[in-house]
Amino acid sequence: MESPFKSDILHGKVALITGGGSGIGFEISTQYGKHGASVAIMGRRKAVLDSAVSALQSLGIPAVGFEGDVRKQEDAKRVVESTVKHFGRLDILVNAAAGNFLVSAEDLSPNGFRTVMDIDTVGTFTMCHEALNYLKKGGKGRSSSNGGMILNISATLHYTAAWYQIHVSAAKAAVDALARNLALEWGADYDIRVNGIAPGPISDTPGMSKLVPDEIESKAREYMPLYKLGDKWDIAMAALYLASDAGKYVNGATLVVDGGLWLSRPRHLSKEAVKQLSRAVEKRSRDAPVGVPKRSKL
């Protein structure tokens, strides 16, 4: 789909996207680049990074890739510094790196739980921590009047509860809390906006292939009336809005982009059944004798 935004809304900006070589992260990288930003992507697999950088450059986007693991502080520090060295500044950090798999709570080992927490939560904080000196107002390559932006890719799993996703629910709940607290502290002290996006099920992503196989998707509408697949483009457009001047007054928010799915509840009765039941209940209520309260002896 064609973007509704002007092609230069991120002109002159530099963005670093973790997990930017595939899935949602790559689409954000692409759309940021198409709208004027220079893009650095971080990931653990060199082949994926090289392919993604080649694809971005073929679109005329200034792009570079850096190998690194968000769980390792030394990697985070090196990639942030390399990005600034390459492009001269850093304006936007997108934390899109994540880990996930389906597992029941009793079958999830503490090590498996810790791994997801380390990638999603600790990794997000580590990247923010290492990027602070470059995102804050007056940081290297920045003016003394305004800071940059941090965007975390979250989820809606923890808004209620989710089957077989206790590890990710805990991790993303912490990511949302991290965003709010950093928005307060770093917004006040350094003029850095910190926000999040909570995607719904997005087609053609690694998460969908692992978490929502065809057997589940075919039955989803039976218990999720608002279930429908979104596109990576939908998330990237939200990311553009939050990174642009259009979102300059948004801080500490997590924008849900799921078509309302998290609100879904099973439809226990059809509309016609509701009408019939309502008429019967109202008639019974009208026909019922009105009781006269006994007079108090007092």
Side-chain angles (χ1 to χ4, degrees):
M1 294 177 62
E2 185 177 347
S3 169
F5 296 100
K6 293 181 179 180
S7 60
D8 62 350
I9 60 170
L10 297 184
H11 177 72
K13 303 286 188 182
V14 174
L16 168 59
I17 299 98
T18 70
S22 62
I24 290 172
F26 179 69
E27 184 66 17
I28 292 174
S29 301
T30 302
Q31 294 299 335
Y32 275 8
K34 284 184 175 181
H35 289 80
S38 298
V39 175
I41 58 177
M42 176 182 180
R44 289 181 291 169
R45 295 174 293 173
K46 186 177 186 302
V48 173
L49 282 177
D50 290 346
S51 176
V53 169
S54 177
L56 292 170
Q57 291 177 343
S58 72
L59 297 172
I61 298 169
V64 64
F66 298 110
E67 283 186 80
D69 188 333
V70 297
R71 293 172 292 183
K72 299 176 180 178
Q73 186 175 3
E74 61 272 20
D75 283 11
K77 180 179 177 65
R78 173 178 49 79
V79 170
V80 169
E81 290 178 346
S82 297
T83 299
V84 175
K85 182 177 180 180
H86 188 87
F87 289 120
R89 60 186 291 161
L90 178 62
D91 302 282
I92 303 164
L93 170 65
V94 179
N95 292 300
N100 199 357
F101 48 91
L102 285 172
V103 62
S104 62
E106 63 267 30
D107 291 332
L108 175 64
S109 69
N111 187 57
F113 185 91
R114 185 181 302 109
T115 296
V116 172
M117 292 293 293
D118 281 347
I119 297 172
D120 289 35
T121 307
V122 180
T124 292
F125 177 77
T126 301
M127 292 302 301
C128 293
H129 184 272
E130 296 306 319
L132 171 61
N133 286 332
Y134 303 99
L135 291 173
K136 67 182 182 180
K137 59 183 179 181
K140 183 175 181 179
R142 305 199 58 80
S143 72
S144 59
S145 60
N146 59 77
M149 188 204 77
I150 296 170
L151 178 62
N152 301 327
I153 303 304
S154 184
T156 62
L157 303 170
H158 53 287
Y159 291 178
T160 52
W163 289 100
Y164 315 130
Q165 292 284 272
I166 189 171
H167 47 330
V168 184
S169 295
K172 295 302 188 183
V175 166
D176 286 358
L178 185 155
R180 289 190 294 270
N181 281 271
L182 290 185
L184 172 65
E185 293 192 36
W186 291 1
D189 294 341
Y190 305 120
D191 196 43
I192 297 174
R193 291 189 298 116
V194 187
N195 293 299
I197 296 175
I202 303 300
S203 62
D204 193 27
T205 59
M208 275 297 296
S209 62
K210 289 198 299 183
L211 303 179
V212 190
D214 293 340
E215 294 84 352
I216 293 178
E217 184 183 341
S218 63
K219 298 180 180 180
R221 283 196 173 275
E222 296 178 12
Y223 57 93
M224 294 180 177
L226 289 170
Y227 183 89
K228 61 181 178 181
L229 290 179
D231 297 316
K232 290 173 286 189
W233 183 90
D234 296 312
I235 309 305
M237 291 300 106
L240 271 174
Y241 160 68
L242 290 170
S244 73
D245 287 342
K248 66 183 178 60
Y249 198 50
V250 183
N251 191 28
T254 297
L255 178 61
V256 178
V257 185
D258 76 340
L261 175 61
W262 83 274
L263 303 171
S264 277
R265 296 294 183 273
R267 192 193 301 268
H268 298 296
L269 293 173
S270 67
K271 290 182 180 179
E272 186 57 38
V274 169
K275 291 178 182 178
Q276 294 175 0
L277 179 62
S278 179
R279 285 194 293 265
V281 170
E282 287 299 316
K283 183 177 185 304
R284 184 163 64 243
S285 177
R286 288 193 301 270
D287 294 345
V290 178
V292 178
K294 296 180 179 179
R295 298 184 65 180
S296 170
K297 293 182 179 179
L298 295 177

